[in-house]
């Protein structure tokens, strides 16, 4: 797996059933897997200083090509020294290809073999994304892990549409690989599509393996199908992908989704949930989800989670967190986002340790048992 | 000036003309004067972690009795261990008396000799503030420096109204002193009123001196009269107050106001301006005010102020600050508030050093000369 001083490499350090524990090495630092990537959509992990994101234990974050190409613009970020410098994050960054968000956010989309023409949701300006332009933008940003440009239909969708879309994405994957070229120290990941159709997932995996990527993502899940169907797909989809490369499940998810995905052999994930929840007063703890707005917290001197090391739990009562949320103070988003990111990173660290010890099954059991207890009793 | 291990004391360490440099000692730490107090209205300095407020060099912050009595409630904060613990700020806290904000924010006010009855601007609930209740609330909060309860008319206001209001405030000051009682380690400040009427200011100062306080505030300025009239009043008002006690100018102000006030013998100030400006994209630097929203910053790789040590200036370009402001990202408020608070604290530190060296006049000249230069040229 050795890939040279300035290379990109992945090595597995332990497995436990289908679950895997490993290390991705990049010139900007190593990433312990399974890894959760906080989302820094518009060159900021919302309500967080980047130093604080690093303090939670995040080795890598995700940024969105679609958002950054529209504002402030990829060429501008390149002139300013690249995304790492722009947003003051020196560890690895993975960028998505823009494909997913063009489909979910942009106006007046027109899909063709060439790519997607669309209007910006910010100012209505016309843009075009193609595999080649997506590779160019991600290079301008200076992304460490680049995603192939793909198209992803929402679920449920009919089989013919899913097949057509997947085959288009595979042709775009080949164009992405050609456009990416040879960039030592930077990785290109292909994205498996095929919805919930096992044979289409297999066809997609074959196409990607034939092209050859530095890592493989599972796309087209967490788009409305529900946890049960997603996990069912993850029972077979990961093992269609090369064992010796990182497997990244895009856009997932809730803590329960994450544990289920890691159990099935996923190495990387990303989701806006910890930060988005933090801004709406939702906190995730070992004992489930807490709505800090609830009146039961108004006089509660206890921390959100007495075992958590984040500032929200070390330095503040539930009563304070309740107060600042009700008063719409910015520190509410700051503290709850930090807590939730800490919870997610602690969850990943717990799973990595369990896999290394061959105790993932016990970890999973305890994870569900603690959540089943529910939040601590009101005082 | 020695006031015992657990006492409150003030000592002057240098003077330069009317300008003074000193130290306030409290059981929770010392305060270098002239001091600027960031405002933590609702138990948070908006968009700032308290550790970051301390990092800027703030020795003390101000919290608002009116806001805290309404939400989350003073008795609740007392049950939770007091305001310092509640908001995770272990250094000194000054609380205002609630009088000013009842007048500016509350609905359906009814003023009487007893106090002010009003309706909460949050939920319409009926409340009453009196000197006795204000002292009780500030004690429940655990404030280190307590302000006497006063009434403050907006300017311009006719002389008869100002005189009537000032005399009521002086009767309330005596009741505040009686209600405050003996609280070692906690200080009570009286508030001079009298608008821009010199003889009323003198009458007010005499009344306060007769009662006797640990410090003296100048109230009723920065309420619409403009800088010239305010500084004219400060040419005489501070020296009506005891020389050996801290003099606090309430609610001031812009950097130019602050320099003018310190020149005239003011030791303490507070203002929401650095944090409020930060949230609206305004940054204060040695060379004046910057509107980060302005298109000239979109491609500018330079920091706001190359001599500033705050994270916004150390780690980010103007282009980034422009981008996150335009994208309405929370980090925009976080970084600009931090920068502005750092600027204010650096300004105070600069004045303290200049006074100690007997070079305040040169400092003031340089302060105005730098501002006259205006912002650095666009690239």
């Amino acid at each position: 797996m050795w890939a040279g001083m300035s290379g990109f490499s992945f090595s597995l350090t332990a497995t436990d059933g289908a679950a895997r524990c490993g290390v991705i090495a990049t010139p900007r630092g190593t990433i312990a897997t399974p890894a959760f990537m906080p989302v820094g959509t518009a060159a900021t992990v919302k309500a967080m200083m980047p130093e604080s994101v690093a303090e939670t234990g995040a080795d890598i974050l995700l940024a969105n090509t679609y958002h950054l190409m529209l504002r402030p613009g990829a060429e501008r970020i390149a002139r300013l020294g690249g995304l790492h410098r722009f947003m003051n994050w020196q560890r690895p960054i993975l960028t998505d290809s823009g494909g997913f968000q063009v489909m979910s956010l942009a106006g007046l989309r027109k899909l063709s073999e060439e790519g997607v023409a669309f209007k910006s949701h910010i100012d209505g300006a016309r843009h075009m994304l193609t595999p080649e332009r997506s590779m160019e933008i991600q290079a301008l940003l200076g992304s460490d892990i680049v995603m192939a440009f793909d198209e992803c239909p929402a679920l449920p969708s009919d089989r013919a549409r899913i097949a057509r879309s997947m085959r288009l994405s595979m042709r775009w994957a080949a164009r992405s690989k050609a456009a990416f070229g040879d960039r030592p120290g930077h990785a290109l990941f292909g994205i498996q599509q095929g919805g919930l159709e096992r044979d289409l997932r297999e066809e997609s995996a074959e196409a990607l393996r034939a092209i050859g990527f530095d890592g493989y993502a599972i796309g087209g899940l967490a788009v409305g199908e529900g946890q049960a169907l997603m996990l069912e797909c993850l029972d077979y989809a990961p093992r269609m992908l090369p064992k010796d490369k990182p497997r990244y499940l895009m856009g997932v998810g809730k803590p329960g989704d994450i544990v289920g995905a890691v159990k099935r052999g996923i190495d990387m994930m990303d989701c806006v949930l910890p930060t988005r929840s933090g801004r709406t007063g939702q906190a995730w703890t070992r004992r489930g989800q807490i709505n800090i707005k609830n009146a039961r917290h108004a006089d509660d001197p206890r921390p959100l989670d007495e075992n958590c090391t984040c500032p929200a739990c070390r330095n503040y009562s539930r009563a304070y967190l309740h107060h600042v949320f009700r008063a719409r103070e910015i520190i509410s988003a700051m503290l709850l986002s930090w807590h939730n990111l800490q919870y997610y990173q602690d969850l990943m660290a717990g799973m990595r340790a369990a896999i290394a010890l061959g105790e993932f099954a016990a970890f999973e059991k305890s994870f569900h048992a603690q959540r089943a207890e529910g939040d601590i009793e009101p005082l």
Side-chain angles (χ1 to χ4, degrees), chain A:
Chain A
M1 275 308 132
W2 184 84
M5 280 287 287
S6 63
F8 175 94
S9 70
F10 175 59
S11 21
L12 284 174
T13 54
T15 58
D16 183 0
R20 303 135 53 98
C21 183
V23 176
I24 297 171
T26 85
R28 289 198 180 263
T30 59
I31 303 154
T33 64
F36 178 80
M37 300 183 282
V39 177
T41 306
T44 165
V45 176
K46 290 185 196 299
M48 294 288 290
M49 297 283 272
E51 298 87 338
S52 310
V53 177
E55 261 189 64
T56 65
D59 291 330
I60 177 171
L61 56 76
L62 177 145
N64 291 117
T65 285
Y66 172 79
H67 287 279
L68 294 173
M69 71 181 282
L70 298 184
R71 184 172 60 193
E75 278 74 9
R76 172 171 283 146
I77 289 178
R79 283 195 302 273
L80 290 162
L83 184 57
H84 295 83
R85 183 164 167 189
F86 186 61
M87 70 183 292
N88 187 34
W89 173 264
Q90 301 311 325
R91 300 184 185 197
I93 294 175
L94 180 149
T95 43
D96 64 8
S97 69
F100 180 79
Q101 288 180 318
V102 164
M103 290 303 162
S104 55
L105 294 175
L108 279 184
R109 295 179 300 274
K110 198 172 169 209
L111 183 69
S112 65
E113 183 66 28
E114 176 64 10
V116 191
F118 62 94
K119 278 185 142 178
S120 160
H121 74 287
I122 298 170
D123 61 6
R126 289 172 189 283
H127 292 268
M128 176 90 188
L129 262 180
T130 62
E132 293 75 20
R133 177 62 180 153
S134 177
M135 294 306 104
E136 184 181 25
I137 291 172
Q138 294 181 73
L140 286 164
L141 297 175
S143 173
D144 303 284
I145 301 182
V146 168
M147 299 304 298
F149 188 63
D150 67 338
E151 203 250 333
C152 167
L155 294 182
S157 199
D158 66 74
R159 183 180 156 87
R161 159 108 175 78
I162 290 170
R164 209 164 49 236
S165 165
M166 179 273 284
R167 287 169 194 142
L168 175 63
S169 287
M170 296 307 103
R171 295 191 296 278
W172 285 358
R175 282 167 56 191
S176 293
K177 175 75 186 275
F180 180 77
D182 183 30
R183 301 181 58 214
H186 299 263
L188 178 65
F189 281 25
I191 306 174
Q192 182 199 44
Q193 292 289 354
L196 301 171
E197 312 285 330
R198 186 166 181 160
D199 61 328
L200 297 180
R201 286 271 165 197
E202 184 59 60
E203 181 186 330
S204 178
E206 268 174 42
L208 295 176
R209 288 197 312 264
I211 300 167
F213 289 95
D214 302 306
Y216 294 83
I218 298 177
L221 294 180
V223 290
E225 74 281 8
Q227 194 196 53
L229 289 176
M230 180 182 84
L231 292 182
E232 203 176 284
C233 181
L234 292 178
D235 282 335
Y236 56 77
R239 60 170 187 264
M240 296 171 177
L241 302 170
K243 204 168 183 167
D244 62 347
K245 301 288 181 186
R247 297 166 181 162
Y248 162 30
L249 178 61
M250 302 184 79
V252 172
K254 292 191 184 181
D257 300 335
I258 285 181
V259 172
V262 166
K263 179 184 186 178
R264 290 164 176 81
I266 295 298
D267 305 306
M268 302 166 71
M269 276 157 289
D270 76 281
C271 192
V272 296
L273 196 63
T275 43
R276 181 173 292 168
S277 298
R279 295 197 304 286
T280 59
Q282 306 294 317
W284 300 88
T285 77
R286 287 154 185 77
R287 297 180 60 163
Q289 207 176 340
I290 292 172
N291 184 348
I292 202 65
K293 190 180 175 178
N294 194 305
R296 65 161 279 194
H297 304 298
D299 280 295
D300 197 328
R302 298 171 298 179
L304 276 177
D305 180 346
E306 65 178 3
N307 295 314
C308 178
T309 60
C310 86
C313 292
R314 275 199 328 265
N315 302 328
Y316 300 93
S317 58
R318 290 175 176 224
Y320 183 79
L321 298 172
H322 173 83
H323 163 65
V324 289
F325 180 79
R326 299 278 286 226
R328 298 168 189 263
E329 289 288 350
I330 291 174
I331 200 172
S332 172
M334 294 162 67
L335 289 172
L336 290 186
S337 298
W338 194 327
H339 168 78
N340 286 340
L341 288 175
Q342 188 70 62
Y343 170 76
Y344 269 67
Q345 293 301 337
D346 289 352
L347 177 63
M348 304 315 290
M351 287 193 288
R352 290 193 297 266
I355 295 166
L357 294 167
E359 293 175 357
F360 189 81
F363 179 93
E364 188 191 13
K365 198 174 156 187
S366 154
F367 168 82
H368 289 295
Q370 283 181 73
R371 287 160 63 88
E373 282 185 68
D375 192 16
I376 51 176
E377 289 297 313
L379 285 178

